[in-house]
Amino acid sequence: GTPEVIILDPANHKTSVAAKLRQVGTDQWRCEYTAKQVGLHSVNVFFCGQQIRGSPYGVRVAPVCDPRKVRASGRGLQPVGVRVNDDDVTFRIFTEGAGEGIPEVKIFGPGGVVPEHSIRKLDANTYEAQYIPLKEGRYKILVLYGGQEIPKSPFEVTVGPQKHTSIVAYGPGLKSGMVGQPACFVVETNGETGNLGFSIAGPSQAEIECHDNGDGSALVKYHPTAPGEYAVHILCDNEDIPKSPHIAQVLPKADDFHPELVKVTGPGVEKSGGVIVGKPTEFTVDATRAGSAPLEVKINDVFSNTIAHKITKTESGMKKVSYTAPSAEPVTVEVNYGGVAVPQSPFRVNVSTPLDASKVQFFGPWLEPGVKPNAATHFNVDARAAGNGLLEVNLVHEESKQKVPVRIIDNNDNTYAVEVIPPLAGTYSTNLLYGGLKVPLSPKVTVSSPVDVSKIKVDGLEPTAPLNSLQQFRVITNGIGKADLAVTIT
């Protein structure tokens, strides 16, 4: 007899899937069919009009799996930067358009070491893998989908030794950005020495700017011209610092919001705006003309620790942000709109201690003996421990009550030089005000007229004298003013 094959699709229709039978040998037949639907199909095989044993056969048809459409990226696949015991070694696997399949990850370390790893599903088309390298050296990472390797697999990663550093980096440009807008971040050295360097690897050659804040920190900007994933490397002496590289996702330029139109004002973002330790300060964010996008505010100390803040909405639709600086170290305020830094952000804000005029110190030649009339002199003022304030100096000649002009030179670090030319001999009072508060010490300075030694006469001093005999002479100083007399016999 002749065999017959009828295939039912998931809806039990027998006409949608055609079976083609051909004889390939004595008592051997080959059946071919092409399923057009995903799901359970029923394959019915008949011989001489009767179902054969085991028929019907259930065949589950899955969508086409195309590993060529799968891609993987992230810090954990970067060639350099990962270190031993690094707890932030992750990468993502994107399967959109690749059909049904199960992603697999195989990791081979130096000496055959196979570190533990995990995979979790983030959404229908995204998976995240994580591993912790326990040994330095070269690692090979295979990413498979449907049992086949995806493009660029295997990935080679060189794991460096564990490293400890005080250098930290933070800012929106380490995780996001937008084409046409600068991506910004801050690097704090916290007293650590070494040559800082930066490199950006991504779809475009992004120009890098670096501004030294002069306080052990730097503001870095880069300018991506194409969307995609960028690896931001932060280097010290040509080595990635811990957590580097950072992975930033740069989006295409948006037309529905404009971060460049956001305005941020107020004492809480001014470099020397009078922010004082332990006292609340605030600033305002005006995004009313910038379109609709999420507002993000972050405030960090020099160690990248987050400082708490509160956001409230004003009647005009603007946002008011308040925070309290916990110490006298500078703080950095990030204001991001739609994941992009607004103009002037991040803001570097100096924090001062409360004003305490009693901590103002002053010293120098003006306060020492030997000051002469009409001779230029000076003294120094150190107010670094007294907080931020304005220095005022009042110099008065007590006998004539004449106020003496002075020149104050501000060194821009709460230290000053004060230049003085006293016009007359006599006593001068030196009074200082700092931030409107009186400095407790008010020393008095005596200015003496210069002595004309040519008018001094010596009487009775003989050129020779007998041994062991008492000799006397007079020093006559009439009319030359008062001064200390010293006699040296050699």
Side-chain angles (χ1 to χ4, degrees):
T2 302
E4 181 185 7
V5 177
I6 298 175
I7 301 174
L8 304 179
D9 66 16
N12 286 324
H13 296 146
K14 64 179 182 181
T15 58
S16 64
V17 182
K20 297 179 180 180
L21 275 171
R22 62 186 178 92
Q23 192 170 7
V24 294
T26 303
D27 297 329
Q28 290 185 355
W29 297 76
R30 181 183 180 88
C31 178
E32 295 179 354
Y33 68 95
T34 302
K36 298 180 179 179
Q37 298 181 45
V38 174
L40 183 64
H41 289 61
S42 176
V43 180
N44 299 265
V45 182
F46 299 86
F47 188 74
C48 295
Q50 299 294 322
Q51 290 255 21
I52 68 171
R53 184 180 298 177
S55 177
Y57 302 92
V59 178
R60 186 173 297 279
V61 177
V64 176
C65 175
D66 187 357
R68 294 173 301 176
K69 295 182 178 179
V70 178
R71 63 184 181 90
S73 64
R75 183 169 182 266
L77 299 180
Q78 290 294 311
V80 295
V82 175
R83 295 186 176 276
V84 171
N85 291 324
D86 200 329
D87 60 359
D88 186 27
V89 186
T90 62
F91 60 91
R92 292 189 175 185
I93 304 169
F94 304 93
T95 64
E96 185 175 5
E100 285 193 4
I102 299 175
E104 298 176 73
V105 173
K106 297 180 180 180
I107 305 176
F108 302 95
V113 172
V114 181
E116 292 186 6
H117 67 276
S118 61
I119 302 178
R120 65 188 182 104
K121 192 172 185 178
L122 301 181
D123 57 40
N125 300 306
T126 309
Y127 297 79
E128 184 176 73
Q130 181 177 20
Y131 66 97
I132 299 178
L134 302 178
K135 187 176 181 180
E136 63 179 289
R138 294 179 64 185
Y139 285 67
K140 184 175 288 188
I141 301 174
L142 282 70
V143 181
L144 304 95
Y145 192 69
Q148 300 180 56
E149 285 191 73
I150 70 169
K152 298 185 180 181
S153 176
F155 299 86
E156 290 195 359
V157 176
T158 300
V159 174
Q162 195 167 6
K163 184 176 182 178
H164 299 283
T165 180
S166 298
I167 301 173
V168 295
Y170 53 87
L174 298 180
K175 62 180 181 178
S176 63
M178 180 183 292
V179 172
Q181 300 287 345
C184 311
F185 60 92
V186 173
V187 178
E188 303 268 8
T189 61
N190 292 308
E192 189 160 323
T193 59
N195 295 320
L196 282 180
F198 310 95
S199 69
I200 313 292
S204 68
Q205 189 171 356
E207 178 188 354
I208 303 175
E209 298 178 54
C210 182
H211 173 71
D212 187 348
N213 292 324
D215 58 1
S217 70
L219 171 63
V220 184
K221 298 181 181 180
Y222 64 96
H223 301 266
T225 57
E229 182 177 280
Y230 287 75
V232 182
H233 291 264
I234 302 168
L235 311 171
C236 180
D237 293 334
N238 295 319
E239 287 190 5
D240 282 272
I241 68 170
K243 306 298 183 185
S244 172
H246 298 262
I247 304 301
Q249 300 295 334
V250 174
L251 302 175
K253 184 173 177 59
D255 295 325
D256 54 347
F257 70 96
H258 302 276
E260 70 275 11
L261 297 180
V262 177
K263 295 182 178 180
V264 183
T265 56
V269 292
E270 294 177 5
K271 184 175 179 64
S272 300
V275 176
I276 297 174
V277 174
K279 292 189 176 182
T281 187
E282 63 182 27
F283 59 91
T284 301
V285 181
D286 182 1
T288 54
R289 297 176 56 244
S292 179
L295 172 67
E296 180 186 41
V297 175
K298 287 187 176 181
I299 305 173
N300 297 304
D301 65 12
V302 294
F303 298 105
S304 190
N305 298 315
T306 301
I307 297 173
H309 64 277
K310 182 179 179 181
I311 301 178
T312 56
K313 189 174 182 179
T314 66
E315 294 181 357
S316 59
M318 296 187 289
K319 301 292 178 64
K320 184 169 287 187
V321 184
S322 58
Y323 70 94
T324 301
S327 70
E329 299 289 345
V331 301
T332 300
V333 179
E334 299 177 30
V335 181
N336 309 316
Y337 200 63
V340 180
V342 306
Q344 308 304 318
S345 178
F347 299 87
R348 189 72 171 180
V349 181
N350 291 326
V351 179
S352 62
T353 56
L355 275 177
D356 185 353
S358 67
K359 294 183 177 180
V360 175
Q361 298 179 339
F362 49 103
F363 50 88
W366 166 250
L367 304 171
E368 299 169 359
V371 180
K372 305 300 180 185
N374 295 311
T377 184
H378 73 279
F379 64 96
N380 300 311
V381 179
D382 185 350
R384 287 176 293 187
N388 288 331
L390 181 66
L391 176 67
E392 298 178 58
V393 178
N394 293 312
L395 212 62
V396 178
H397 183 250
E398 292 195 345
E399 288 82 357
S400 66
K401 306 301 181 184
Q402 177 183 348
K403 186 175 181 179
V404 179
V406 299
R407 181 180 177 225
I408 300 175
I409 301 173
D410 189 345
N411 297 322
N412 295 317
D413 60 355
N414 287 359
T415 66
Y416 308 83
V418 182
E419 296 181 345
V420 183
I421 302 179
L424 304 169
T427 302
Y428 289 80
S429 60
T430 307
N431 298 297
L432 275 64
L433 295 176
Y434 191 68
L437 303 177
K438 181 176 175 58
V439 175
L441 293 177
S442 299
K444 296 187 182 299
V445 176
T446 299
V447 176
S448 303
S449 297
V451 175
D452 185 356
V453 294
S454 66
K455 295 181 179 180
I456 298 176
K457 296 180 180 180
V458 178
D459 181 43
L461 183 61
E462 299 297 333
T464 60
L467 186 66
N468 294 324
S469 63
L470 179 65
Q471 302 294 314
Q472 294 181 343
F473 62 92
R474 293 186 305 162
V475 178
I476 303 169
T477 61
N478 291 340
I480 62 171
K482 295 182 179 180
D484 293 332
L485 175 66
V487 176
T488 301
I489 300 176
T490 60

